[in-house]
C-alpha cells in the first residue's frame, strides 16, 4: 500500500513537471499572420489581405510559370543577361520578392496598370512599365512583350495579389514619405555612405558579388549601375527607398528590407551623394515629361 502511494505521488510530480516544462516552451505553430486592409476607391475597408506563403504556389494550375517568374525577378541578371546591362536584379529594388510595405512591393502592381504616367505623359500598361525598368533601372533592353519571361513575371505578380479586384488595392505603399523640403548636403551624404552603406555597396559604389560573380548588393554608381533615367537616380525618390528599406540586413528581428535606421535628412544627404555620382546616360530621356511638371530632383 505504501509502495503504491509513493508511485502515485511520483507520477503526479512527474506529470506536473512535464506540464510546467511544456508551458515554458515556445509554441510550435507561428501566430496567424495579420491581415492587411483591402480598400475600395473610397478608401473604405472591404476585406483583408494576407501575404501568401510561397508553398501556396504549388497548388496553382500554372505553378511552373509562377515559379519561373519568381526566379526571374530574383535572379534577373544571371537568367536574362541579354536584357540586363547593369549588375542588378529586379528584386534589388523590390525587396523580399515584392512582399513588403514601403519597399517597392508587387502586391498592388497588377492593379495599378494601365495608368497614365507623368513621365511618359501617356497611358502605360504593365508590360510597358516592366520594360521601363529593364531600360532604365537595369540599363538594358526590353523583353518581348508576349514572350514567356514577361508572362511569367506577370504571373507571379498576379498570384501575389491574391484575386484582389482591379478597382481595389491592398493598403500598402510603394515607398514611404520623405520630407522633400530638406536641403541635401552631399558632403554629409558622403560620410553617411562611408559609415552606413559602403560595407555592402563598396567603397566606390561598385557593389558586392559572390564567388560566382553574381550580384549580392548592386552597384550604386559607375558603368554597372542604373542609368540616369532611372527613378532611383533622383535624390528624393532614392531617399524614400533608403529611408524605408535600407539597410536590408540591419534588422535581426522583423523582415528583410524594412529600414527606419536613417533620419530623413541622412537619407536625403546620402541619396544626393550617390545619385550624383557618374552613371550611364539614357538617350531617350529627352522625351521625358513632355507636358512639363518635371520633378525638381530630376537631373536632366
Amino acid at each position: 500500500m505504501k509502495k503504491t502511494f509513493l508511485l502515485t505521488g511520483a507520477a503526479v510530480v512527474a506529470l506536473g513537471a512535464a506540464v510546467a516544462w511544456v508551458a515554458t516552451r515556445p509554441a510550435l505553430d507561428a501566430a496567424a499572420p495579420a491581415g492587411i486592409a483591402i480598400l475600395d476607391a473610397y478608401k473604405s475597408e472591404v476585406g483583408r489581405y494576407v501575404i501568401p506563403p510561397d508553398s501556396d504556389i504549388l497548388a496553382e494550375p500554372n505553378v511552373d510559370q509562377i515559379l519561373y517568374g519568381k526566379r526571374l525577378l530574383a535572379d534577373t541578371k544571371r537568367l536574362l543577361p541579354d536584357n540586363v546591362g547593369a549588375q542588378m536584379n529586379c528584386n534589388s529594388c523590390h525587396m523580399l520578392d515584392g512582399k513588403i510595405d514601403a519597399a517597392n512591393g508587387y502586391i498592388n502592381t497588377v492593379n495599378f496598370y494601365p495608368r497614365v504616367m507623368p513621365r511618359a505623359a501617356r497611358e502605360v500598361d504593365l508590360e510597358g512599365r516592366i520594360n521601363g525598368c529593364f531600360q532604365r533601372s537595369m540599363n538594358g533592353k526590353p523583353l518581348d512583350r508576349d514572350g514567356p519571361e514577361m508572362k511569367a513575371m506577370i504571373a507571379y505578380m498576379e498570384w501575389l495579389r491574391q484575386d484582389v479586384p482591379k478597382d481595389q488595392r491592398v493598403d500598402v505603399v510603394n515607398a514611404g514619405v520623405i520630407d522633400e523640403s530638406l536641403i541635401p548636403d552631399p558632403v554629409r551624404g558622403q560620410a553617411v555612405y562611408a559609415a552606413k552603406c559602403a560595407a555592402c555597396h563598396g567603397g566606390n559604389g561598385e557593389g558586392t558579388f559572390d564567388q560566382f560573380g553574381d550580384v549580392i548588393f548592386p552597384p550604386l554608381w559607375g558603368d554597372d549601375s542604373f542609368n540616369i533615367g532611372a527613378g532611383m537616380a533622383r535624390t528624393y525618390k532614392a531617399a524614400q527607398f533608403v529611408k524605408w528599406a535600407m539597410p536590408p540586413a540591419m534588422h535581426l528581428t522583423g523582415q528583410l528590407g524594412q529600414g527606419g535606421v536613417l533620419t530623413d535628412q541622412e537619407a536625403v544627404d546620402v541619396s544626393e551623394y550617390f545619385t550624383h555620382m557618374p552613371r550611364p546616360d539614357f538617350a531617350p530621356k529627352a522625351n521625358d515629361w513632355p507636358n512639363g511638371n518635371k520633378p525638381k530632383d530630376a537631373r536632366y
Side-chain angles (χ1 to χ4, degrees), residues 94-113:
H94 303 271
M95 306 299 293
L96 200 66
D97 295 327
K99 289 183 175 179
I100 56 175
D101 195 23
N104 296 327
Y106 299 132
I107 294 172
N108 286 315
T109 297
V110 170
N111 286 7
F112 277 168
Y113 295 92

Side-chain angles (χ1 to χ4, degrees), residues 56-269:
D56 284 4
I57 297 175
L58 302 179
E60 297 294 325
N62 59 338
V63 53
D64 290 342
Q65 185 183 45
I66 296 172
L67 289 177
Y68 183 41
K70 176 179 161 61
R71 287 183 59 216
L72 289 172
L73 292 164
D75 204 6
T76 326
K77 174 64 176 177
R78 190 173 66 84
L79 298 177
L80 297 172
D82 294 337
N83 297 92
V84 180
Q87 292 288 348
M88 310 276 292
N89 297 311
C90 295
N91 288 359
S92 298
C93 296
H94 303 271
M95 306 299 293
L96 200 66
D97 295 327
K99 289 183 175 179
I100 56 175
D101 195 23
N104 296 327
Y106 299 132
I107 294 172
N108 286 315
T109 297
V110 170
N111 286 7
F112 277 168
Y113 295 92
R115 64 189 303 193
V116 175
M117 299 188 68
R119 187 171 63 189
R122 60 179 172 77
E123 187 174 87
V124 176
D125 60 15
L126 182 52
E127 290 86 350
R129 182 66 186 89
I130 290 172
N131 274 336
C133 277
F134 272 91
Q135 293 171 282
R136 295 169 185 262
S137 300
M138 302 286 199
N139 193 36
K141 301 175 183 176
L143 295 174
D144 178 355
R145 290 174 55 90
D146 299 316
E149 290 78 18
M150 179 68 78
K151 292 182 182 301
M153 288 181 170
I154 294 177
Y156 172 78
M157 297 173 188
E158 281 276 12
W159 167 77
L160 190 57
R161 77 165 166 151
Q162 294 289 288
D163 296 325
V164 173
K166 287 281 286 185
D167 59 347
Q168 299 174 10
R169 68 177 181 84
V170 180
D171 191 18
V172 294
V173 295
N174 277 346
V177 176
I178 199 79
D179 183 354
E180 296 193 15
S181 70
L182 295 172
I183 306 300
D185 183 331
V187 175
R188 288 197 306 252
Q190 184 176 14
V192 172
Y193 182 85
K196 308 282 181 130
C197 312
C200 293
H201 292 286
N204 294 309
E206 71 273 24
T208 53
F209 303 85
D210 66 18
Q211 66 269 41
F212 306 110
D214 294 324
V215 61
I216 300 175
F217 296 105
L220 297 189
W221 64 84
D223 292 342
D224 290 331
S225 187
F226 47 86
N227 66 42
I228 196 172
M232 200 62 80
R234 292 169 41 195
T235 296
Y236 295 100
K237 199 167 184 64
Q240 288 181 298
F241 183 75
V242 170
K243 163 75 178 180
W244 292 96
M246 291 288 107
M250 189 68 185
H251 297 272
L252 300 179
T253 59
Q255 292 180 309
L256 179 75
Q258 294 197 314
V261 173
L262 301 182
T263 64
D264 276 28
Q265 184 67 63
E266 290 172 325
V268 169
D269 290 344

